[in-house]
Amino acid sequence: MHSRQLTRIRRGAAATAALAAAAASLLFTGSAPAGAASPSARSSVSRYVALGDSYAAGEGLSPVVDTACGRTSGSYPTWTAQTVKPAVFKDATCSGATTRSLWNWEGTAAPQVNALSKDTDLVTVTLGGNDLGFTDVLTACVLAGLTTKEGSPCRDTEAAAVDAAFAKLSPRLSSMLTDIRKRSPQARVIVVGYPNLFPADGSVCGTSASLAKGDVTWLNQTTYRLNFMLELSARLQQAEFVSTTDLFQGHDMCEPAAERWINPLLPVNSGSAHPNTFGQRVMAREVLIRISN
């Protein structure tokens, strides 16, 4: 083997190790790990575009960098960009976005695909939850939970509408990934899934979320179903999928404040039912681990 080949292999291994170390340190430090990525690791991503909804925008965190979109610098795309240090980072994420927001204006926010270009080499995307009307469903479940903690009153009234929304979402995800690939043919496309918000055993949250026990189970099943659809779409479109579901087990909104990575539903605020700062760091860590592979 020629010395140049050996040098390239060593540099590639060093870059991978540096990103892995950066991913690990990100989980335990209070800020992005300055200097954690080597120059080789930094140059491995030149143009990074982040697409998605409030879970990618870092809704409810601070500081806010785009009030209209609820976009903050505490989001997993920002943590990722601060670690890999691309020459260009475009964050098109926006709270309330659906898959249609890729091609249409979302209030004052331009279509998200406008951020893509032929030379984009990394894309992360978290979308689909709002296509299901998940915020409205959660609201309905909380209202139902105020009257009873038994059975699954929310599922009984909302399941048919959610099933219909799932049927529409599948082809939209395919179109989304096809268009991303068309606009950025050289990009590594990473679909980042949604964390489960509630205990895996279906236990009731108490003051964190007023929900009937059966509805907790149904909402968890809905999240698993959405993530399965996202992963399947990613695999069929030659994209990658990062799962966050299992990572948040034992750190859902019903855990004590020191243990949870998801903000509780109650009291209601902009960050309700969204990853907190630590949760966003965990999501960034998983993206960085995937990039390093």
Side-chain angles (χ1 to χ4, degrees), residues 166 169-171 173-178 191-193 223-243:
F166 266 115
L169 179 58
S170 181
L173 292 176
S174 178
S175 296
M176 172 184 80
L177 294 170
T178 297
V191 179
V192 181
T223 303
Y224 276 115
R225 184 179 177 185
L226 173 57
N227 284 328
F228 177 77
M229 183 174 286
L230 289 169
E231 182 174 11
L232 180 61
S233 297
R235 291 182 181 277
L236 290 174
Q237 297 295 326
Q238 289 73 54
E240 301 172 65
F241 180 74
V242 168
S243 174

Side-chain angles (χ1 to χ4, degrees), residues 187-221:
R188 188 170 184 180
V189 181
I190 300 177
V191 179
V192 181
Y194 292 86
N196 258 5
L197 307 181
F198 307 105
D201 62 3
S203 57
V204 177
C205 280
T207 59
S208 294
S210 177
L211 299 170
K213 186 172 182 178
D215 287 335
V216 172
T217 300
W218 176 65
L219 289 169
N220 276 343
Q221 291 171 343

Side-chain angles (χ1 to χ4, degrees), residues 14-223:
T16 298
L19 273 177
S25 66
L26 186 59
L27 184 59
F28 300 106
T29 58
S31 60
S38 71
S40 296
R42 291 172 183 168
S43 64
S44 63
V45 176
S46 297
R47 295 180 180 273
Y48 169 28
V49 174
L51 310 173
D53 57 24
S54 56
Y55 277 71
E59 175 80 15
L61 301 178
S62 61
V64 177
V65 296
D66 186 314
T67 303
C69 278
R71 191 184 305 139
T72 73
S73 61
S75 66
Y76 80 77
T78 301
W79 288 105
T80 300
Q82 288 182 7
T83 302
V84 300
K85 299 188 181 300
V88 176
F89 170 48
K90 294 182 180 180
D91 190 347
T93 59
C94 194
S95 296
T98 67
T99 53
R100 293 188 182 279
S101 302
L102 287 171
W103 304 284
N104 300 286
W105 285 80
E106 181 73 30
T108 59
Q112 294 192 18
V113 293
N114 288 3
L116 299 169
S117 61
K118 294 291 185 182
D119 54 359
T120 300
D121 57 358
L122 175 65
V123 178
T124 58
V125 54
T126 300
L127 276 173
N130 289 324
D131 291 72
L132 303 178
F134 203 65
T135 299
D136 292 338
V137 171
L138 281 176
T139 300
C141 289
V142 169
L143 292 175
L146 292 175
T147 61
T148 180
K149 295 296 185 291
E150 300 301 321
S152 52
C154 182
R155 182 194 64 187
D156 296 343
T157 60
E158 302 296 324
V162 170
D163 287 345
F166 266 115
K168 294 179 180 178
L169 179 58
S170 181
R172 289 178 185 173
L173 292 176
S174 178
S175 296
M176 172 184 80
L177 294 170
T178 297
D179 198 35
I180 291 172
R181 181 66 64 196
K182 180 179 179 180
R183 293 169 185 265
S184 301
Q186 306 303 317
R188 188 170 184 180
V189 181
I190 300 177
V191 179
V192 181
Y194 292 86
N196 258 5
L197 307 181
F198 307 105
D201 62 3
S203 57
V204 177
C205 280
T207 59
S208 294
S210 177
L211 299 170
K213 186 172 182 178
D215 287 335
V216 172
T217 300
W218 176 65
L219 289 169
N220 276 343
Q221 291 171 343
T222 300
T223 303

